[in-house]
Amino acid sequence: MSIFSVDVGGTNIRCAVVSTDGEILHRKQLPTPPGLNPNGLLAILKEQAKLAGDEIRSRGLSIEAAGVAVPAPVPMGRDAKLTQVPNLPGLEGVRLSAMLSDGLGVRVLVENDAAAAAVGENWKGASRGANTSAYISLGTGIGGGLIIDGRLRRGPDGSAGEIGHICIEKNGRKCGCGSRGCFEQYASAGAILRLARRNGLKVATSEQVFELARHGNRDAMLVFQRVGYYLGILSAALINSINPDSIVFGGKVAGAMRFFGESLKKEAGYRSFRAPFRRCSIVRGKLGDDAAILGVARCVTARDDEADRKHP
Amino acid sequence: MSIFSVDVGGTNIRCAVVSTDGEILHRKQLPTPPGLNPNGLLAILKEQAKLAGDEIRSRGLSIEAAGVAVPAPVPMGRDAKLTQVPNLPGLEGVRLSAMLSDGLGVRVLVENDAAAAAVGENWKGASRGANTSAYISLGTGIGGGLIIDGRLRRGPDGSAGEIGHICIEKNGRKCGCGSRGCFEQYASAGAILRLARRNGLKVATSEQVFELARHGNRDAMLVFQRVGYYLGILSAALINSINPDSIVFGGKVAGAMRFFGESLKKEAGYRSFRAPFRRCSIVRGKLGDDAAILGVARCVTARDDEADRKHP
């Protein structure tokens, strides 16, 4: 089976065709148009699905299903509405799976992007072979996905795995989720930038903080150590509460893991139960931007397997 | 099938015989001898299993397996050792399942007590029918058990569900687990007593704080409000990360839920994503001291069901 696999982000839309065994047969990236709405997204995906279909036809293949990863909690069920999509507000209130299935003429599975990436890394990447694994996506915010006993667990409202919104500073910074003091406020790209500026660094993006650290700037390195400290506390929460075989860090900030990995592991070790800490490998993702594309394709085929098991 | 079901606590050992459909056919409670060691426990259980077996024999029944709940993480596998048993240190380093199976002459499943209680409440109690449910045991410490998609998840080291050891005060009180600032330090019976004394109440136990609250003492009521505040933050962490249908509070402190329930729900609502918060019922357990006895019996029969599924 060939799956049309899409990762819709706030900045880019990545399209690919993925085979059942995880080969990427085709790939295309486009900038996300400002103010993207459902019809705009459908038009883009229709066009890209046609191009992709034409390309793989020469190999005797065709697109049989589609998977779409989005930066939002995705409730269960074909008719479920997206309710909170802060980075793509034009998609709020949309029954995306039903709309895209009708529009593209194939079955479309929609999944949260970090959850999809968790599946991708578990299938072909850093947590391959792990029975239980947490994926933490470090970008503008902190996303997450939990694989427990071999299956992605998203919950009926699609919010399971939103570990960036566990509280660590009860009277801390206001968070976009409505609460305050969530880990997202202390260990995301936004947090890095804020922390760096507070420490007197003249930077406009978290990437610049990374560049400074790479050139040996001590203040920039201290920023990442602080981020690692918080991520260590978060990792310990996961180790103590789900006993995972691995915790995988992805997203653009994970590229700086060499600057925050040490403080992260030290803090996680201090705060975790011993046996599960020793078991858990804490690593950077291996698939980069392909994690969600591969993962959502895997979700499509896994859903089929499951249906087969239920209705043999 | 009739199961000899035991809950080994720091204070009492509760023995029972439970039928496959959850009827308690016999029950006996003994004080836990000081300095309980493995041979002492085996002797008690042998005697109690014989008494219980004699009693149900008159009904044409016999004991076919046993389940034992203990206040410790229980690693997977018949030969796994208990490594950390703070309330019964005499059992540390013991391969309890193997030892009791050999000694009692029936298969013995050992499970963590809060995990067993989670299963009990999900089977016959407050979270009946819930697909995903968290159980939080409020006693001397805070224990927990997670039922995710219909199954207890303990992890290979048996530590999954140790949600009392998620950190909330990063520089807070030293915790018995080796970390500091764990929820256990702010919302257990020990925390209640400490908080009450700090607020000037002359009390020797958390039960006395409860009695004062029951008689309208405002300072005692404020203590429980504070406990509810922390438990609300913990509940939100669970709601955001596992999207449960219910969170059930058990253990002796849960009896005071009328004094901490309101602040708990208020704080949980403030800090949770909306849809999963609306879904989640936050309630007191229904089974009291029977939760672990019923749950561990259920674990024994469920393990059989599973083996049947794997080897039909």
Side-chain angles (χ1 to χ4, degrees), chain A residues 13-89:
Chain A
I13 299 177
R14 293 190 191 86
C15 300
V17 178
V18 178
S19 74
T20 314
D21 56 4
E23 198 188 340
I24 297 183
L25 306 168
H26 162 92
R27 160 201 321 262
K28 178 80 180 283
Q29 178 171 318
L30 306 97
T32 305
L36 183 72
N37 62 27
N39 288 332
L41 177 61
L42 178 59
I44 291 171
L45 296 195
K46 263 185 165 169
E47 188 186 349
Q48 291 303 320
K50 189 176 177 317
L51 289 171
D54 288 347
E55 193 182 309
I56 64 168
R57 190 163 308 122
S58 59
R59 306 195 220 175
L61 300 171
S62 64
I63 289 166
E64 283 147 274
V68 177
V70 295
V74 180
M76 276 186 178
R78 184 180 183 275
D79 286 325
K81 272 185 205 173
L82 299 185
T83 55
Q84 290 177 282
V85 198
N87 290 329
L88 294 167

Side-chain angles (χ1 to χ4, degrees), chain A residues 268-287:
Chain A
Y270 168 55
R271 296 186 184 272
S272 301
F273 280 53
R274 291 189 301 270
F277 176 70
R278 278 195 303 264
R279 175 181 305 276
C280 183
S281 72
I282 298 177
V283 293
R284 184 178 164 193
K286 281 186 179 168
L287 304 178

Side-chain angles (χ1 to χ4, degrees), chain A residues 139-142 163-169 172-195 198 227 230:
Chain A
T140 311
I142 297 186
I163 52 192
H165 299 282
I166 294 175
C167 176
I168 181 57
E169 299 282 2
R173 278 183 64 88
K174 196 86 188 118
C175 183
C177 74
S179 178
R180 56 171 71 243
C182 300
F183 277 101
E184 177 162 304
Q185 297 304 314
Y186 302 91
S188 59
I192 288 168
L193 183 57
R194 207 163 44 235
L195 207 52
R198 205 173 62 192
V227 164
Y230 278 104

Side-chain angles (χ1 to χ4, degrees), chain A residues 1-5 62-67 106-109 300 304:
Chain A
M1 189 162 79
S2 304
I3 297 137
F4 181 54
S5 197
S62 64
I63 289 166
E64 283 147 274
V106 294
R107 188 168 46 91
V108 178
L109 180 138
V300 170
D304 283 349

